[in-house]
Amino acid sequence: MTMHRVTERLRERSRQAMEKILAQEADAEQRRAQLELVGPEALRRLIDVASGHTGQSQHCRRILLAAYNGPTWPLDITRLRVIDRDLQRAALTLIEWATYTPRELHEYLDDGDRLMQRFWDTETHKEED
């Protein structure tokens, strides 16, 4: 094989690899844009339930707190098994959105820090009981 053919093949492989990377980036950007549309609704849905006093409320608070401060509130994924399907979808959307958005999720809310602190206090108090 001549050096010219080797160079051509390397260029072709590089071009294919670059096209693949660009396509993946375009897909990721499209998903990020979609999450920016559906993420806030998922966040609101979880907050609505987390603000209540049901068994699902505690799980939703813990999911929100994990997104807020994962090192302190690690997510036990079995929580996803005990909430209803609608909340599961909202939680998974929230988790994916949290990985892509350049902002912290609580920053999308008016008084988001205060709300998360309220959930924090509620869950800390539960742990002490």
Side-chain angles (χ1 to χ4, degrees):
M1 187 178 296
T2 68
M3 185 58 103
H4 177 70
R5 282 189 60 122
V6 169
T7 302
E8 283 179 22
R9 291 179 82 189
L10 288 173
R11 282 187 185 140
E12 179 60 20
R13 286 183 184 165
S14 293
R15 185 191 62 74
Q16 290 171 353
M18 184 58 74
E19 285 177 0
K20 183 177 179 180
I21 290 168
L22 292 174
Q24 289 171 339
E25 284 299 313
D27 289 346
E29 186 56 41
Q30 183 177 16
R31 182 62 183 152
R32 275 191 289 274
Q34 181 182 13
L35 286 166
E36 288 295 327
L37 295 175
V38 298
E41 180 57 34
L43 178 60
R44 281 189 290 281
R45 175 74 176 112
L46 290 168
I47 287 170
D48 286 347
V49 175
S51 297
H53 301 287
T54 69
Q56 295 200 87
S57 297
Q58 178 184 18
H59 299 296
C60 289
R61 281 191 296 272
R62 292 297 183 104
I63 291 164
L64 289 163
L65 287 168
Y68 181 67
N69 186 323
T72 302
W73 297 97
L75 178 61
D76 175 359
I77 63 170
T78 58
R79 291 186 183 282
L80 295 172
R81 292 182 180 174
V82 297
I83 57 178
D84 66 37
R85 297 265 186 240
D86 175 55
L87 291 173
Q88 287 172 348
R89 281 189 296 278
L92 292 171
T93 296
L94 181 93
I95 292 165
E96 187 178 11
W97 184 35
T99 64
Y100 282 118
T101 187
R103 295 169 53 193
E104 295 293 329
L105 298 184
H106 66 279
E107 294 174 357
Y108 287 87
L109 306 168
D110 294 332
D111 284 337
D113 268 322
R114 192 164 71 190
L115 177 66
M116 291 298 122
Q117 188 60 53
R118 190 180 85 207
F119 291 160
W120 188 300
D121 293 344
T122 298
E123 290 304 307
T124 301
H125 182 263
K126 284 182 182 279
E127 286 182 348
E128 293 173 356
D129 290 343

Short mmCIF file of all heavy atoms in Angstrom, two decimals, residues 83-114:
data_model
loop_
_atom_site.label_atom_id
_atom_site.label_comp_id
_atom_site.label_asym_id
_atom_site.label_seq_id
_atom_site.Cartn_x
_atom_site.Cartn_y
_atom_site.Cartn_z
N ILE A 83 -42.53 5.11 44.06
CA ILE A 83 -43.41 6.21 43.65
C ILE A 83 -44.16 5.81 42.38
O ILE A 83 -43.74 4.89 41.67
CB ILE A 83 -42.63 7.53 43.46
CG1 ILE A 83 -41.49 7.37 42.44
CG2 ILE A 83 -42.10 8.03 44.80
CD1 ILE A 83 -40.71 8.65 42.16
N ASP A 84 -45.26 6.48 42.12
CA ASP A 84 -46.07 6.10 40.96
C ASP A 84 -45.36 6.44 39.65
O ASP A 84 -44.36 7.17 39.64
CB ASP A 84 -47.47 6.71 41.04
CG ASP A 84 -47.50 8.21 40.92
OD1 ASP A 84 -46.71 8.79 40.15
OD2 ASP A 84 -48.33 8.84 41.60
N ARG A 85 -45.85 5.89 38.57
CA ARG A 85 -45.18 6.02 37.25
C ARG A 85 -45.01 7.47 36.82
O ARG A 85 -43.98 7.84 36.28
CB ARG A 85 -45.96 5.25 36.19
CG ARG A 85 -46.02 3.77 36.45
CD ARG A 85 -44.92 3.06 35.70
NE ARG A 85 -45.09 1.63 35.86
CZ ARG A 85 -44.19 0.85 36.42
NH1 ARG A 85 -43.07 1.33 36.85
NH2 ARG A 85 -44.40 -0.44 36.52
N ASP A 86 -46.02 8.28 37.06
CA ASP A 86 -45.93 9.69 36.69
C ASP A 86 -44.78 10.36 37.44
O ASP A 86 -43.99 11.11 36.85
CB ASP A 86 -47.26 10.39 37.01
CG ASP A 86 -47.22 11.88 36.77
OD1 ASP A 86 -46.87 12.28 35.64
OD2 ASP A 86 -47.54 12.64 37.71
N LEU A 87 -44.64 10.07 38.70
CA LEU A 87 -43.54 10.63 39.49
C LEU A 87 -42.20 10.03 39.10
O LEU A 87 -41.18 10.72 39.12
CB LEU A 87 -43.80 10.44 40.98
CG LEU A 87 -44.96 11.25 41.55
CD1 LEU A 87 -45.23 10.85 43.00
CD2 LEU A 87 -44.70 12.74 41.43
N GLN A 88 -42.19 8.77 38.71
CA GLN A 88 -40.95 8.16 38.23
C GLN A 88 -40.45 8.90 36.99
O GLN A 88 -39.27 9.24 36.88
CB GLN A 88 -41.16 6.69 37.89
CG GLN A 88 -41.30 5.79 39.07
CD GLN A 88 -41.70 4.37 38.69
OE1 GLN A 88 -42.09 4.10 37.56
NE2 GLN A 88 -41.61 3.46 39.65
N ARG A 89 -41.38 9.15 36.06
CA ARG A 89 -40.99 9.88 34.83
C ARG A 89 -40.48 11.27 35.17
O ARG A 89 -39.49 11.74 34.62
CB ARG A 89 -42.16 9.94 33.86
CG ARG A 89 -42.38 8.66 33.08
CD ARG A 89 -43.40 8.83 31.97
NE ARG A 89 -44.73 9.16 32.47
CZ ARG A 89 -45.61 8.27 32.93
NH1 ARG A 89 -45.30 6.99 32.93
NH2 ARG A 89 -46.79 8.65 33.36
N ALA A 90 -41.17 11.94 36.09
CA ALA A 90 -40.73 13.28 36.50
C ALA A 90 -39.35 13.22 37.14
O ALA A 90 -38.50 14.06 36.85
CB ALA A 90 -41.75 13.89 37.46
N ALA A 91 -39.12 12.23 38.00
CA ALA A 91 -37.83 12.10 38.68
C ALA A 91 -36.71 11.82 37.68
O ALA A 91 -35.63 12.41 37.76
CB ALA A 91 -37.89 11.00 39.73
N LEU A 92 -36.96 10.92 36.74
CA LEU A 92 -35.92 10.60 35.76
C LEU A 92 -35.65 11.79 34.84
O LEU A 92 -34.49 12.05 34.48
CB LEU A 92 -36.32 9.36 34.96
CG LEU A 92 -36.33 8.07 35.79
CD1 LEU A 92 -36.95 6.93 35.00
CD2 LEU A 92 -34.93 7.71 36.28
N THR A 93 -36.69 12.53 34.50
CA THR A 93 -36.50 13.75 33.72
C THR A 93 -35.67 14.75 34.50
O THR A 93 -34.74 15.35 33.98
CB THR A 93 -37.87 14.36 33.33
OG1 THR A 93 -38.55 13.44 32.48
CG2 THR A 93 -37.70 15.69 32.61
N LEU A 94 -36.00 14.91 35.78
CA LEU A 94 -35.26 15.82 36.64
C LEU A 94 -33.79 15.44 36.73
O LEU A 94 -32.91 16.30 36.62
CB LEU A 94 -35.88 15.83 38.04
CG LEU A 94 -35.21 16.78 39.01
CD1 LEU A 94 -35.92 18.12 39.01
CD2 LEU A 94 -35.17 16.19 40.40
N ILE A 95 -33.52 14.17 36.91
CA ILE A 95 -32.14 13.69 37.02
C ILE A 95 -31.38 13.96 35.72
O ILE A 95 -30.25 14.46 35.74
CB ILE A 95 -32.11 12.19 37.40
CG1 ILE A 95 -32.62 12.00 38.82
CG2 ILE A 95 -30.71 11.61 37.22
CD1 ILE A 95 -32.97 10.57 39.18
N GLU A 96 -32.00 13.66 34.60
CA GLU A 96 -31.34 13.91 33.32
C GLU A 96 -31.14 15.41 33.11
O GLU A 96 -30.08 15.85 32.68
CB GLU A 96 -32.14 13.30 32.17
CG GLU A 96 -31.41 13.39 30.85
CD GLU A 96 -32.15 12.74 29.70
OE1 GLU A 96 -33.34 12.39 29.85
OE2 GLU A 96 -31.54 12.60 28.63
N TRP A 97 -32.16 16.19 33.41
CA TRP A 97 -32.07 17.64 33.25
C TRP A 97 -30.94 18.20 34.11
O TRP A 97 -30.17 19.05 33.66
CB TRP A 97 -33.41 18.26 33.62
CG TRP A 97 -33.52 19.74 33.42
CD1 TRP A 97 -32.96 20.50 32.43
CD2 TRP A 97 -34.27 20.65 34.23
NE1 TRP A 97 -33.32 21.81 32.57
CE2 TRP A 97 -34.13 21.93 33.67
CE3 TRP A 97 -35.05 20.50 35.36
CZ2 TRP A 97 -34.74 23.07 34.21
CZ3 TRP A 97 -35.67 21.63 35.89
CH2 TRP A 97 -35.50 22.88 35.32
N ALA A 98 -30.82 17.69 35.34
CA ALA A 98 -29.76 18.16 36.25
C ALA A 98 -28.37 17.90 35.69
O ALA A 98 -27.43 18.64 35.99
CB ALA A 98 -29.92 17.51 37.62
N THR A 99 -28.22 16.87 34.88
CA THR A 99 -26.90 16.57 34.32
C THR A 99 -26.55 17.48 33.14
O THR A 99 -25.38 17.65 32.84
CB THR A 99 -26.79 15.10 33.85
OG1 THR A 99 -27.70 14.88 32.78
CG2 THR A 99 -27.05 14.14 34.98
N TYR A 100 -27.56 18.05 32.50
CA TYR A 100 -27.31 18.86 31.31
C TYR A 100 -27.39 20.36 31.55
O TYR A 100 -26.71 21.13 30.88
CB TYR A 100 -28.33 18.52 30.21
CG TYR A 100 -28.03 17.26 29.46
CD1 TYR A 100 -28.92 16.19 29.50
CD2 TYR A 100 -26.88 17.14 28.69
CE1 TYR A 100 -28.65 15.02 28.79
CE2 TYR A 100 -26.61 15.97 27.99
CZ TYR A 100 -27.50 14.93 28.05
OH TYR A 100 -27.24 13.78 27.35
N THR A 101 -28.26 20.80 32.44
CA THR A 101 -28.49 22.23 32.58
C THR A 101 -27.28 22.92 33.18
O THR A 101 -26.61 22.36 34.06
CB THR A 101 -29.76 22.51 33.42
OG1 THR A 101 -30.02 23.91 33.37
CG2 THR A 101 -29.60 22.05 34.84
N PRO A 102 -26.99 24.12 32.71
CA PRO A 102 -25.84 24.84 33.26
C PRO A 102 -26.14 25.46 34.62
O PRO A 102 -25.23 25.89 35.32
CB PRO A 102 -25.56 25.93 32.21
CG PRO A 102 -26.88 26.16 31.55
CD PRO A 102 -27.57 24.82 31.56
N ARG A 103 -27.41 25.49 35.01
CA ARG A 103 -27.81 26.08 36.29
C ARG A 103 -28.19 24.98 37.27
O ARG A 103 -28.54 23.87 36.88
CB ARG A 103 -29.02 27.00 36.08
CG ARG A 103 -28.71 28.19 35.22
CD ARG A 103 -29.94 28.96 34.80
NE ARG A 103 -30.80 29.35 35.90
CZ ARG A 103 -32.03 29.80 35.73
NH1 ARG A 103 -32.55 29.91 34.52
NH2 ARG A 103 -32.77 30.15 36.76
N GLU A 104 -28.15 25.33 38.55
CA GLU A 104 -28.67 24.44 39.57
C GLU A 104 -30.19 24.47 39.48
O GLU A 104 -30.78 25.52 39.19
CB GLU A 104 -28.21 24.88 40.96
CG GLU A 104 -26.71 24.79 41.16
CD GLU A 104 -26.19 23.37 41.14
OE1 GLU A 104 -26.93 22.44 41.56
OE2 GLU A 104 -25.05 23.17 40.72
N LEU A 105 -30.84 23.34 39.70
CA LEU A 105 -32.29 23.28 39.51
C LEU A 105 -33.06 24.24 40.40
O LEU A 105 -34.05 24.83 39.96
CB LEU A 105 -32.78 21.84 39.72
CG LEU A 105 -32.22 20.80 38.74
CD1 LEU A 105 -32.86 19.46 38.99
CD2 LEU A 105 -32.39 21.23 37.31
N HIS A 106 -32.61 24.42 41.63
CA HIS A 106 -33.34 25.33 42.52
C HIS A 106 -33.28 26.77 42.03
O HIS A 106 -34.11 27.60 42.40
CB HIS A 106 -32.81 25.22 43.96
CG HIS A 106 -31.41 25.70 44.12
ND1 HIS A 106 -30.32 24.92 43.80
CD2 HIS A 106 -30.92 26.89 44.54
CE1 HIS A 106 -29.21 25.61 44.03
NE2 HIS A 106 -29.55 26.80 44.48
N GLU A 107 -32.33 27.08 41.15
CA GLU A 107 -32.23 28.43 40.60
C GLU A 107 -33.35 28.73 39.60
O GLU A 107 -33.57 29.88 39.25
CB GLU A 107 -30.87 28.63 39.93
CG GLU A 107 -29.72 28.60 40.92
CD GLU A 107 -28.36 28.64 40.24
OE1 GLU A 107 -28.29 28.64 38.99
OE2 GLU A 107 -27.36 28.67 40.97
N TYR A 108 -34.06 27.71 39.18
CA TYR A 108 -35.21 27.91 38.29
C TYR A 108 -36.46 28.31 39.06
O TYR A 108 -37.49 28.57 38.46
CB TYR A 108 -35.49 26.63 37.49
CG TYR A 108 -34.48 26.35 36.40
CD1 TYR A 108 -33.32 25.66 36.66
CD2 TYR A 108 -34.70 26.80 35.11
CE1 TYR A 108 -32.39 25.41 35.66
CE2 TYR A 108 -33.78 26.56 34.10
CZ TYR A 108 -32.63 25.86 34.39
OH TYR A 108 -31.71 25.62 33.40
N LEU A 109 -36.38 28.32 40.37
CA LEU A 109 -37.53 28.59 41.23
C LEU A 109 -37.37 29.92 41.94
O LEU A 109 -36.26 30.32 42.29
CB LEU A 109 -37.66 27.49 42.29
CG LEU A 109 -37.72 26.06 41.82
CD1 LEU A 109 -37.55 25.12 43.00
CD2 LEU A 109 -39.04 25.82 41.11
N ASP A 110 -38.50 30.57 42.20
CA ASP A 110 -38.48 31.72 43.11
C ASP A 110 -38.23 31.16 44.50
O ASP A 110 -38.90 30.21 44.91
CB ASP A 110 -39.83 32.45 43.07
CG ASP A 110 -40.10 33.09 41.71
OD1 ASP A 110 -39.13 33.43 41.01
OD2 ASP A 110 -41.29 33.23 41.36
N ASP A 111 -37.28 31.70 45.20
CA ASP A 111 -36.93 31.22 46.55
C ASP A 111 -36.60 29.73 46.58
O ASP A 111 -36.95 29.03 47.53
CB ASP A 111 -38.06 31.52 47.55
CG ASP A 111 -38.10 32.99 47.94
OD1 ASP A 111 -37.05 33.66 47.81
OD2 ASP A 111 -39.16 33.46 48.38
N GLY A 112 -35.92 29.25 45.54
CA GLY A 112 -35.57 27.84 45.47
C GLY A 112 -34.70 27.37 46.62
O GLY A 112 -34.89 26.27 47.13
N ASP A 113 -33.75 28.22 47.03
CA ASP A 113 -32.90 27.84 48.16
C ASP A 113 -33.75 27.66 49.43
O ASP A 113 -33.55 26.71 50.18
CB ASP A 113 -31.83 28.91 48.43
CG ASP A 113 -30.54 28.62 47.71
OD1 ASP A 113 -30.15 27.45 47.60
OD2 ASP A 113 -29.91 29.60 47.25
N ARG A 114 -34.68 28.56 49.64
CA ARG A 114 -35.51 28.48 50.84
C ARG A 114 -36.39 27.22 50.80
O ARG A 114 -36.55 26.54 51.82
CB ARG A 114 -36.37 29.72 50.98
CG ARG A 114 -37.02 29.80 52.34
CD ARG A 114 -37.54 31.16 52.65
NE ARG A 114 -38.71 31.42 51.81
CZ ARG A 114 -39.29 32.59 51.70
NH1 ARG A 114 -38.80 33.62 52.35
NH2 ARG A 114 -40.34 32.75 50.93
#
